Amino acid sequence: MSLKEYQEHPEEGFIEMDFVEVPAREMLDRANGYYELMDKRRTTRHFSKKEVSRDLIELAIRTAGTAPSGAHLQPWTFVAVSDVKLKERIRIAAEEEERRFYEERVPEEWAEVLLPLGTDQVKEHLTDAPWVVILFRHSQRVRENGDLAPTYYSQESCGIAAGMFISAVHNMGLTTLTHTPSPMGFLRELLNRPDHEHPMVVMPVGYPAEGAKVPDITRKSLGDISVFYPY
Ligand code: IYR
């Protein structure tokens, strides 16, 4: 519908919401079940080479694509790579950036909080994981007349979509890692994306390697991450 049509018949753009009420007695069980599922999610950097079908990756991306977004512009492209050669090229370029980061650029106060996570410039996950999914954020959109116009809240929108991708991957019984090589502009060239798309996060997806390790860290308590009124 055009802007003018919307202004004249604003109700025409709306349909009935499809909302199925969950019985109150089931709500707590469902809430608990989801919390317990998500609380088992851990980030490992050690992936198995075991294959994962494309169907599963498509479903994780579809789930991420249900995220709310600023003005419903859906300002994201998920580039899913299983091509071995392309994953190798991504790894080589990412490791080059990371080497500079760890050897030259990392400030002490950043190094201090990375230490417990055991990260370094070696990025095996980029070639071990059967899939590497790169989320590109659109800072602009193409209007019907071909002009570029801004998107709104694209950082927030893509952050939400990434979160939904992560929970979808965990729910299907696989694991993913949010990797942010910095700077990561090389991904736009390597993956042929246009100038208004910005690589935001690299997410290898697969099975954890046998005996995969995770850092021995804890999560903040509810009291530490929330405030309720009234107490
Ligand atoms: N990009 C680097 C450094 C890094 C930064 C943060 I913030 C992390 O949570 C983890 C790593 C890397 O990927 O190693």
Side-chain angles (χ1 to χ4, degrees):
M1 269 166 85
S2 69
L3 185 57
K4 192 158 167 288
E5 283 166 335
Y6 262 119
Q7 282 163 342
E8 280 165 9
H9 305 283
E11 71 293 346
E12 276 186 14
F14 289 83
I15 54 168
E16 200 74 27
M17 181 178 187
D18 181 11
F19 179 84
V20 182
E21 188 164 329
V22 174
R25 61 179 186 285
E26 276 180 35
M27 267 189 188
L28 205 55
D29 279 352
R30 285 176 61 155
N32 237 315
Y34 191 63
Y35 165 64
E36 276 174 14
L37 171 74
M38 293 313 292
D39 194 37
K40 292 222 169 61
R41 190 201 60 78
R42 292 301 314 260
T43 297
T44 184
R45 298 190 146 68
H46 310 289
F47 283 76
S48 150
K49 292 190 169 165
K50 187 171 168 180
E51 290 300 307
V52 165
S53 82
R54 175 177 164 147
D55 296 1
L56 291 169
I57 303 302
E58 287 183 357
L59 278 164
I61 296 173
R62 276 175 191 264
T63 304
T66 69
S69 62
H72 190 55
L73 291 177
Q74 307 170 77
W76 42 64
T77 301
F78 293 83
V79 179
V81 182
S82 66
D83 182 277
V84 171
K85 287 262 151 26
L86 191 50
K87 286 193 295 175
E88 264 166 23
R89 289 171 67 198
I90 293 171
R91 177 173 173 184
I92 289 167
E95 287 186 336
E96 204 173 302
E97 294 292 5
E98 300 287 16
R99 196 167 304 112
R100 272 198 291 275
F101 173 78
Y102 284 99
E103 286 174 8
E104 297 161 27
R105 297 205 319 266
V106 63
E108 197 214 317
E109 68 271 19
W110 195 347
E112 163 185 296
V113 287
L114 283 183
L115 203 63
L117 306 181
T119 60
D120 61 23
Q121 60 264 47
V122 183
K123 300 301 179 191
E124 290 124 326
H125 55 259
L126 294 174
T127 46
D128 286 348
W131 289 93
V132 175
V133 178
I134 300 100
L135 168 52
F136 284 79
R137 175 183 67 85
H138 302 189
S139 59
Q140 292 180 295
R141 68 176 172 112
V142 185
R143 294 183 79 189
E144 260 174 36
N145 67 5
D147 288 353
L148 283 176
T151 58
Y152 310 98
Y153 303 99
S154 62
Q155 298 273 7
E156 291 82 351
S157 306
C158 288
I160 296 166
M164 294 178 67
F165 181 88
I166 293 163
S167 86
V169 167
H170 179 64
N171 181 55
M172 64 179 68
L174 295 172
T175 190
T176 184
L177 154 71
T178 45
H179 175 202
T180 49
S182 91
M184 54 177 131
F186 68 89
L187 288 165
R188 186 195 287 130
E189 280 135 59
L190 224 47
L191 300 169
N192 282 317
R193 300 312 303 168
D195 286 352
H196 65 279
E197 292 189 14
H198 311 271
M200 189 171 148
V201 60
V202 177
M203 295 175 287
V205 180
Y207 291 85
E210 209 153 311
K213 293 263 193 305
V214 294
D216 186 12
I217 49 179
T218 53
R219 295 196 164 106
K220 288 181 179 178
S221 69
L222 177 66
D224 287 336
I225 62 169
S226 62
V227 178
F228 282 73
Y229 294 105
Y231 288 108

